[in-house]
Coordinates of all heavy atoms in Angstrom, one line a residue:
D22 N 0.8 -1.2 0.0 CA 0.0 0.0 0.0 C 0.9 1.2 0.0 O 1.9 1.3 0.7 CB -1.0 -0.2 1.2 CG -1.1 0.9 2.2 OD1 -1.7 2.0 1.8 OD2 -0.8 0.7 3.3
W23 N 0.5 2.2 -0.8 CA 1.3 3.4 -1.0 C 1.5 4.3 0.2 O 2.6 4.8 0.4 CB 0.8 4.2 -2.2 CG -0.6 4.8 -2.0 CD1 -1.7 4.2 -2.4 CD2 -0.9 6.0 -1.4 NE1 -2.8 5.0 -2.0 CE2 -2.3 6.1 -1.4 CE3 -0.2 7.0 -0.8 CZ2 -3.0 7.2 -0.9 CZ3 -0.9 8.1 -0.2 CH2 -2.3 8.2 -0.3
K24 N 0.5 4.3 1.1 CA 0.7 5.1 2.3 C 1.7 4.5 3.2 O 2.6 5.3 3.8 CB -0.6 5.2 3.1 CG -1.6 6.2 2.6 CD -2.8 6.3 3.5 CE -3.9 7.1 2.9 NZ -5.1 7.2 3.7
S25 N 1.7 3.2 3.4 CA 2.8 2.6 4.2 C 4.1 2.8 3.6 O 5.1 3.0 4.4 CB 2.5 1.1 4.3 OG 1.2 0.9 4.9
A26 N 4.2 2.7 2.3 CA 5.5 2.9 1.7 C 6.0 4.3 1.9 O 7.2 4.5 2.3 CB 5.4 2.6 0.2
A27 N 5.2 5.3 1.7 CA 5.6 6.7 2.0 C 6.0 6.9 3.4 O 7.0 7.6 3.7 CB 4.4 7.6 1.6
E28 N 5.2 6.3 4.3 CA 5.5 6.5 5.8 C 6.9 5.9 6.1 O 7.7 6.4 6.9 CB 4.4 5.9 6.6 CG 3.2 6.7 6.6 CD 2.0 6.0 7.3 OE1 2.2 5.0 8.0 OE2 0.9 6.5 7.2
M29 N 7.2 4.7 5.4 CA 8.5 4.1 5.6 C 9.6 5.0 5.2 O 10.6 5.2 5.8 CB 8.5 2.8 4.9 CG 9.8 2.0 5.0 SD 10.0 0.7 3.8 CE 10.1 1.6 2.3
Y30 N 9.4 5.7 4.0 CA 10.4 6.6 3.5 C 10.6 7.8 4.5 O 11.7 8.3 4.7 CB 10.1 7.1 2.1 CG 10.3 6.0 1.0 CD1 9.3 5.7 0.2 CD2 11.6 5.5 0.9 CE1 9.6 4.7 -0.8 CE2 11.8 4.5 -0.1 CZ 10.8 4.1 -0.9 OH 11.1 3.2 -1.9
V31 N 9.5 8.3 5.0 CA 9.6 9.4 6.0 C 10.4 9.0 7.2 O 11.3 9.7 7.6 CB 8.2 9.9 6.4 CG1 8.3 10.8 7.6 CG2 7.4 10.5 5.3
H32 N 10.1 7.8 7.7 CA 10.8 7.3 8.9 C 12.3 7.1 8.6 O 13.2 7.2 9.5 CB 10.2 6.0 9.5 CG 8.9 6.3 10.1 ND1 8.7 7.1 11.2 CD2 7.6 5.9 9.7 CE1 7.4 7.1 11.5 NE2 6.7 6.5 10.6
A33 N 12.6 6.7 7.3 CA 14.0 6.5 6.9 C 14.7 7.8 6.6 O 15.9 7.8 6.3 CB 14.0 5.5 5.7
G34 N 14.0 8.9 6.5 CA 14.6 10.2 6.2 C 14.7 10.4 4.7 O 15.3 11.4 4.3
D35 N 14.0 9.6 3.9 CA 14.1 9.8 2.4 C 12.8 10.6 2.0 O 11.9 10.1 1.5 CB 14.1 8.4 1.7 CG 14.5 8.6 0.2 OD1 14.3 9.7 -0.3 OD2 14.9 7.6 -0.3
Y36 N 12.9 11.9 2.3 CA 11.7 12.7 2.1 C 11.4 12.9 0.6 O 10.2 13.1 0.3 CB 12.0 14.1 2.8 CG 12.2 13.9 4.3 CD1 13.4 14.3 4.9 CD2 11.2 13.4 5.1 CE1 13.6 14.1 6.2 CE2 11.4 13.3 6.5 CZ 12.6 13.6 7.0 OH 12.8 13.5 8.4
H37 N 12.4 12.9 -0.2 CA 12.1 13.0 -1.7 C 11.2 11.9 -2.2 O 10.2 12.2 -2.9 CB 13.4 13.0 -2.5 CG 14.2 14.3 -2.3 ND1 13.9 15.4 -3.0 CD2 15.2 14.6 -1.4 CE1 14.8 16.4 -2.6 NE2 15.6 15.9 -1.7
K38 N 11.4 10.7 -1.8 CA 10.6 9.6 -2.2 C 9.2 9.7 -1.6 O 8.2 9.4 -2.3 CB 11.2 8.2 -1.9 CG 12.4 8.0 -2.8 CD 13.0 6.6 -2.6 CE 14.2 6.3 -3.5 NZ 14.8 5.0 -3.3
A39 N 9.2 10.1 -0.3 CA 7.9 10.2 0.4 C 7.0 11.3 -0.3 O 5.8 11.0 -0.6 CB 8.1 10.5 1.8
V40 N 7.6 12.4 -0.6 CA 6.9 13.5 -1.3 C 6.4 13.1 -2.7 O 5.3 13.4 -3.1 CB 7.7 14.8 -1.3 CG1 7.1 15.8 -2.2 CG2 7.9 15.3 0.1
A41 N 7.3 12.3 -3.3 CA 6.9 11.8 -4.7 C 5.6 11.0 -4.6 O 4.7 11.1 -5.4 CB 8.0 11.1 -5.3
I42 N 5.6 10.1 -3.6 CA 4.4 9.2 -3.5 C 3.2 10.0 -3.0 O 2.1 9.8 -3.6 CB 4.7 8.1 -2.5 CG1 5.8 7.1 -3.0 CG2 3.4 7.3 -2.1 CD1 6.3 6.1 -2.0
Y43 N 3.3 10.8 -2.0 CA 2.2 11.6 -1.6 C 1.7 12.6 -2.7 O 0.5 12.7 -2.8 CB 2.6 12.5 -0.4 CG 2.8 11.7 0.9 CD1 3.8 12.0 1.8 CD2 2.0 10.6 1.2 CE1 3.9 11.3 3.0 CE2 2.1 9.9 2.4 CZ 3.1 10.3 3.3 OH 3.3 9.6 4.5
S44 N 2.6 13.1 -3.5 CA 2.2 14.0 -4.6 C 1.4 13.2 -5.6 O 0.4 13.7 -6.1 CB 3.5 14.6 -5.2 OG 4.1 15.5 -4.3
E45 N 1.9 12.1 -6.0 CA 1.2 11.2 -7.0 C -0.2 11.0 -6.6 O -1.1 10.9 -7.4 CB 2.0 9.9 -7.2 CG 1.4 9.0 -8.2 CD 2.1 7.7 -8.3 OE1 3.3 7.6 -7.9 OE2 1.5 6.7 -8.8
H46 N -0.4 10.8 -5.3 CA -1.8 10.4 -4.8 C -2.5 11.7 -4.2 O -3.6 11.5 -3.7 CB -1.7 9.4 -3.7 CG -1.2 8.1 -4.3 ND1 -2.0 7.2 -5.0 CD2 0.1 7.5 -4.3 CE1 -1.3 6.1 -5.4 NE2 0.0 6.3 -5.0
K47 N -1.9 12.8 -4.4 CA -2.5 14.1 -3.9 C -2.9 14.0 -2.4 O -4.0 14.4 -2.0 CB -3.7 14.5 -4.8 CG -3.5 14.5 -6.2 CD -2.6 15.7 -6.6 CE -2.5 15.8 -8.1 NZ -1.3 16.3 -8.6
Y48 N -2.1 13.4 -1.6 CA -2.4 13.2 -0.2 C -1.8 14.3 0.6 O -0.7 14.3 1.0 CB -1.8 11.8 0.2 CG -2.2 11.4 1.6 CD1 -3.5 11.2 1.9 CD2 -1.2 11.2 2.6 CE1 -3.9 10.8 3.2 CE2 -1.6 10.8 3.9 CZ -2.9 10.6 4.2 OH -3.3 10.2 5.4
V49 N -2.7 15.3 0.9 CA -2.3 16.5 1.5 C -1.8 16.3 3.0 O -0.8 16.9 3.4 CB -3.4 17.6 1.5 CG1 -3.1 18.8 2.3 CG2 -3.7 18.0 0.0
D50 N -2.5 15.4 3.7 CA -2.1 15.2 5.1 C -0.6 14.7 5.1 O 0.2 15.1 6.0 CB -3.0 14.2 5.7 CG -4.4 14.7 6.0 OD1 -4.5 16.0 6.1 OD2 -5.3 13.9 6.2
G51 N -0.2 13.8 4.2 CA 1.1 13.3 4.2 C 2.1 14.4 3.9 O 3.2 14.5 4.5
L52 N 1.8 15.2 2.9 CA 2.6 16.3 2.5 C 2.8 17.3 3.6 O 3.9 17.8 3.9 CB 2.1 17.0 1.3 CG 2.1 16.2 0.0 CD1 1.3 16.9 -1.1 CD2 3.5 16.0 -0.5
R53 N 1.7 17.6 4.3 CA 1.8 18.5 5.5 C 2.7 17.9 6.5 O 3.5 18.7 7.1 CB 0.4 18.7 6.0 CG 0.4 19.7 7.2 CD -0.9 19.9 7.9 NE -1.4 18.6 8.4 CZ -2.6 18.1 8.1 NH1 -3.4 18.7 7.3 NH2 -2.9 16.9 8.6
N54 N 2.6 16.7 6.8 CA 3.4 16.1 7.9 C 4.9 16.1 7.5 O 5.8 16.4 8.3 CB 3.0 14.6 8.1 CG 1.6 14.6 8.8 OD1 1.2 15.5 9.4 ND2 1.0 13.4 8.6
V55 N 5.2 15.9 6.2 CA 6.6 15.9 5.8 C 7.1 17.4 5.8 O 8.2 17.7 6.3 CB 6.8 15.4 4.3 CG1 8.2 15.7 3.8 CG2 6.5 13.9 4.3
A56 N 6.3 18.3 5.4 CA 6.7 19.7 5.3 C 7.0 20.2 6.8 O 7.9 21.0 6.9 CB 5.6 20.6 4.7
R57 N 6.3 19.8 7.7 CA 6.5 20.2 9.1 C 7.8 19.6 9.7 O 8.4 20.2 10.6 CB 5.3 19.8 10.0 CG 4.1 20.6 9.7 CD 2.9 20.2 10.6 NE 1.8 21.1 10.4 CZ 0.6 20.9 10.9 NH1 0.3 19.7 11.5 NH2 -0.4 21.7 10.7
K58 N 8.3 18.6 9.1 CA 9.6 18.0 9.6 C 10.8 18.6 8.9 O 11.9 18.6 9.5 CB 9.6 16.5 9.2 CG 8.7 15.6 10.0 CD 8.8 14.2 9.5 CE 7.8 13.3 10.2 NZ 8.1 13.0 11.6
L59 N 10.6 19.3 7.8 CA 11.7 19.8 7.0 C 12.1 21.2 7.4 O 11.3 22.0 7.8 CB 11.4 19.8 5.5 CG 11.0 18.5 4.9 CD1 10.7 18.7 3.4 CD2 12.2 17.5 5.0
K60 N 13.4 21.5 7.4 CA 13.9 22.8 7.6 C 14.0 23.6 6.3 O 14.5 23.0 5.3 CB 15.3 22.8 8.3 CG 15.3 22.2 9.6 CD 16.6 22.2 10.3 CE 16.6 21.6 11.6 NZ 17.9 21.6 12.3
S61 N 13.5 24.8 6.3 CA 13.5 25.5 5.0 C 14.9 25.8 4.4 O 15.0 25.8 3.2 CB 12.7 26.8 5.2 OG 13.4 27.7 6.2
D62 N 15.9 25.9 5.3 CA 17.2 26.2 4.8 C 17.8 25.0 4.0 O 18.5 25.1 3.0 CB 18.2 26.5 5.9 CG 17.9 27.7 6.6 OD1 17.1 28.6 6.1 OD2 18.3 27.9 7.8
D63 N 17.4 23.8 4.4 CA 18.0 22.6 3.8 C 17.1 22.0 2.7 O 17.6 21.2 1.9 CB 18.2 21.5 4.9 CG 19.1 21.9 6.0 OD1 20.0 22.8 5.7 OD2 19.0 21.4 7.1
H64 N 15.8 22.2 2.7 CA 14.9 21.5 1.8 C 13.9 22.5 1.2 O 12.8 22.2 1.0 CB 14.1 20.5 2.6 CG 15.0 19.4 3.2 ND1 15.4 19.4 4.5 CD2 15.5 18.3 2.6 CE1 16.1 18.4 4.7 NE2 16.2 17.7 3.6
S65 N 14.4 23.7 0.7 CA 13.5 24.6 0.2 C 12.8 24.1 -1.1 O 11.6 24.4 -1.3 CB 14.1 26.0 -0.1 OG 15.2 25.8 -1.0
E66 N 13.5 23.4 -1.9 CA 12.9 23.0 -3.2 C 11.8 21.9 -2.9 O 10.8 21.9 -3.5 CB 13.9 22.4 -4.2 CG 14.8 23.5 -4.8 CD 13.9 24.6 -5.5 OE1 13.0 24.2 -6.3 OE2 14.2 25.8 -5.3
L67 N 12.1 21.0 -2.0 CA 11.1 20.0 -1.6 C 9.9 20.6 -1.0 O 8.8 20.2 -1.2 CB 11.8 19.0 -0.7 CG 11.1 17.7 -0.5 CD1 10.8 17.0 -1.8 CD2 11.9 16.7 0.4
L68 N 10.1 21.6 -0.1 CA 9.0 22.3 0.5 C 8.1 23.0 -0.6 O 6.9 23.0 -0.5 CB 9.5 23.3 1.5 CG 9.9 22.7 2.8 CD1 10.7 23.7 3.6 CD2 8.7 22.2 3.6
R69 N 8.8 23.6 -1.6 CA 8.1 24.2 -2.7 C 7.2 23.2 -3.5 O 6.1 23.5 -3.9 CB 9.0 25.0 -3.6 CG 9.6 26.2 -3.0 CD 10.5 27.0 -4.0 NE 11.4 27.8 -3.3 CZ 11.1 28.9 -2.7 NH1 9.9 29.3 -2.6 NH2 12.1 29.6 -2.1
R70 N 7.8 22.0 -3.6 CA 7.0 20.9 -4.3 C 5.8 20.6 -3.5 O 4.7 20.4 -4.0 CB 7.9 19.7 -4.5 CG 7.2 18.5 -4.9 CD 6.9 18.6 -6.4 NE 6.3 17.3 -6.9 CZ 5.2 17.2 -7.6 NH1 4.6 18.3 -8.0 NH2 4.8 16.1 -7.9
C71 N 5.9 20.5 -2.2 CA 4.8 20.2 -1.3 C 3.7 21.3 -1.5 O 2.5 21.0 -1.6 CB 5.2 20.1 0.2 SG 6.2 18.7 0.6
A72 N 4.2 22.5 -1.4 CA 3.2 23.7 -1.5 C 2.5 23.7 -2.9 O 1.3 23.9 -3.0 CB 4.0 25.0 -1.3
A73 N 3.2 23.3 -3.9 CA 2.6 23.3 -5.3 C 1.5 22.3 -5.4 O 0.4 22.5 -5.9 CB 3.7 23.0 -6.3
V74 N 1.7 21.1 -4.8 CA 0.7 20.0 -4.8 C -0.5 20.4 -3.9 O -1.6 20.3 -4.3 CB 1.3 18.7 -4.4 CG1 0.2 17.6 -4.3 CG2 2.4 18.3 -5.4
M75 N -0.2 21.0 -2.8 CA -1.2 21.5 -1.9 C -2.1 22.5 -2.6 O -3.3 22.5 -2.5 CB -0.6 22.1 -0.6 CG 0.0 21.1 0.3 SD 0.9 21.9 1.6 CE 1.5 20.6 2.6
L76 N -1.5 23.4 -3.3 CA -2.2 24.4 -4.1 C -3.1 23.8 -5.1 O -4.3 24.1 -5.3 CB -1.2 25.4 -4.7 CG -1.8 26.7 -5.3 CD1 -2.6 27.5 -4.3 CD2 -0.7 27.5 -5.9
E77 N -2.6 22.8 -5.9 CA -3.4 22.0 -6.8 C -4.6 21.4 -6.2 O -5.6 21.3 -6.8 CB -2.5 20.9 -7.5 CG -1.5 21.4 -8.5 CD -0.7 20.2 -8.9 OE1 -1.1 19.0 -8.9 OE2 0.5 20.4 -9.3
C78 N -4.4 21.0 -5.0 CA -5.5 20.3 -4.2 C -6.4 21.3 -3.5 O -7.3 20.9 -2.8 CB -4.9 19.3 -3.2 SG -4.0 18.0 -4.0
E79 N -6.1 22.6 -3.7 CA -6.9 23.6 -3.0 C -6.8 23.5 -1.5 O -7.8 23.9 -0.8 CB -8.3 23.7 -3.5 CG -8.4 24.0 -5.0 CD -9.8 24.1 -5.6 OE1 -10.8 24.0 -4.8 OE2 -10.0 24.3 -6.8
A80 N -5.7 23.1 -1.0 CA -5.5 23.0 0.4 C -4.7 24.3 0.8 O -3.5 24.3 1.1 CB -4.6 21.8 0.8
F81 N -5.5 25.4 0.8 CA -4.9 26.7 0.9 C -4.2 27.0 2.3 O -3.2 27.6 2.4 CB -5.9 27.8 0.6 CG -6.5 27.6 -0.8 CD1 -7.8 27.4 -1.0 CD2 -5.7 27.7 -1.9 CE1 -8.4 27.3 -2.2 CE2 -6.2 27.6 -3.2 CZ -7.5 27.3 -3.4
V82 N -4.8 26.5 3.3 CA -4.3 26.7 4.7 C -2.9 26.0 4.8 O -2.0 26.6 5.3 CB -5.3 26.2 5.8 CG1 -4.6 26.2 7.1 CG2 -6.5 27.0 5.7
E83 N -2.9 24.7 4.3 CA -1.6 24.0 4.4 C -0.5 24.6 3.5 O 0.6 24.7 3.9 CB -1.9 22.5 4.0 CG -2.7 21.7 4.9 CD -4.2 21.9 4.7 OE1 -4.6 22.8 4.0 OE2 -5.0 21.1 5.4
C84 N -1.0 25.1 2.3 CA -0.1 25.7 1.4 C 0.5 27.0 2.0 O 1.7 27.2 1.9 CB -0.8 26.0 0.1 SG 0.2 26.7 -1.2
K85 N -0.3 27.8 2.6 CA 0.1 29.0 3.3 C 1.2 28.7 4.4 O 2.2 29.4 4.5 CB -1.1 29.7 3.9 CG -0.7 31.0 4.6 CD -1.9 31.7 5.2 CE -1.5 32.9 6.1 NZ -2.7 33.5 6.7
E86 N 0.9 27.7 5.2 CA 1.8 27.3 6.2 C 3.2 27.0 5.7 O 4.2 27.4 6.2 CB 1.3 26.0 6.9 CG 2.2 25.5 8.0 CD 1.6 24.2 8.7 OE1 0.4 24.0 8.7 OE2 2.4 23.5 9.2
V87 N 3.3 26.3 4.5 CA 4.6 26.0 3.9 C 5.2 27.3 3.4 O 6.4 27.5 3.6 CB 4.4 25.0 2.8 CG1 5.8 24.7 2.1 CG2 3.9 23.6 3.3
Y88 N 4.5 28.1 2.7 CA 5.1 29.3 2.2 C 5.6 30.3 3.3 O 6.6 30.9 3.2 CB 4.1 30.1 1.3 CG 4.1 29.5 -0.1 CD1 2.9 29.1 -0.7 CD2 5.2 29.2 -0.8 CE1 2.8 28.5 -2.0 CE2 5.2 28.7 -2.1 CZ 4.0 28.3 -2.7 OH 4.0 27.8 -3.9
L89 N 4.8 30.3 4.4 CA 5.3 31.1 5.6 C 6.6 30.5 6.1 O 7.5 31.3 6.5 CB 4.2 31.2 6.6 CG 3.0 32.0 6.3 CD1 1.9 31.9 7.4 CD2 3.4 33.5 6.2
K90 N 6.7 29.2 6.2 CA 7.9 28.6 6.6 C 9.1 28.9 5.7 O 10.2 29.2 6.2 CB 7.7 27.1 6.6 CG 8.9 26.3 7.2 CD 8.5 24.8 7.3 CE 9.5 24.1 8.2 NZ 9.1 22.7 8.5
L91 N 8.8 29.0 4.4 CA 9.9 29.4 3.5 C 10.2 30.9 3.5 O 11.2 31.3 2.9 CB 9.4 29.0 2.1 CG 9.5 27.5 1.8 CD1 8.7 27.2 0.5 CD2 10.9 27.1 1.6
G92 N 9.3 31.7 4.1 CA 9.4 33.1 4.1 C 8.9 33.7 2.8 O 9.2 34.9 2.5
D93 N 8.1 33.0 2.0 CA 7.5 33.5 0.8 C 6.1 33.9 1.1 O 5.2 33.2 1.1 CB 7.5 32.4 -0.3 CG 8.8 32.0 -0.7 OD1 9.8 32.6 -0.4 OD2 8.9 31.0 -1.5
T94 N 5.9 35.2 1.4 CA 4.6 35.7 1.7 C 4.0 36.5 0.6 O 4.7 36.9 -0.3 CB 4.6 36.5 3.0 OG1 5.6 37.5 2.9 CG2 4.9 35.6 4.2

């Protein structure tokens, strides 16, 4: 199951693979959880990817949270 696989990648610290899986399935909760774990200095591109998918899904509150974390207001 794809959720279990993505969660495994999160626990292993492979956030790129987790975000790829969550993005493919438009799973905003998973993207939000990953985005909250990441530091904007180290993972800005990955955070932008999360925000882009959140925006596609019309998850505006979650998207705003990521952009605020990035300092993109």
Side-chain angles (χ1 to χ4, degrees):
D22 128 70
W23 60 267
K24 280 186 190 178
S25 297
E28 289 171 10
M29 180 192 67
Y30 285 125
V31 169
H32 290 294
D35 193 340
Y36 300 116
H37 288 276
K38 287 185 181 177
V40 168
I42 293 170
Y43 289 143
S44 296
E45 179 182 341
H46 295 279
K47 307 290 189 214
Y48 188 59
V49 173
D50 289 339
L52 292 169
R53 182 186 60 234
N54 291 338
V55 171
R57 288 180 174 168
K58 292 178 182 289
L59 301 177
K60 294 183 179 180
S61 60
D62 295 342
D63 301 332
H64 297 98
S65 63
E66 288 304 314
L67 196 53
L68 285 166
R69 289 183 203 290
R70 172 75 176 132
C71 290
V74 175
M75 291 170 177
L76 189 59
E77 286 175 25
C78 295
E79 298 183 2
F81 301 118
V82 172
E83 293 85 349
C84 183
K85 178 182 175 182
E86 179 182 329
V87 175
Y88 281 128
L89 288 173
K90 184 174 193 170
L91 287 164
D93 294 352
T94 54

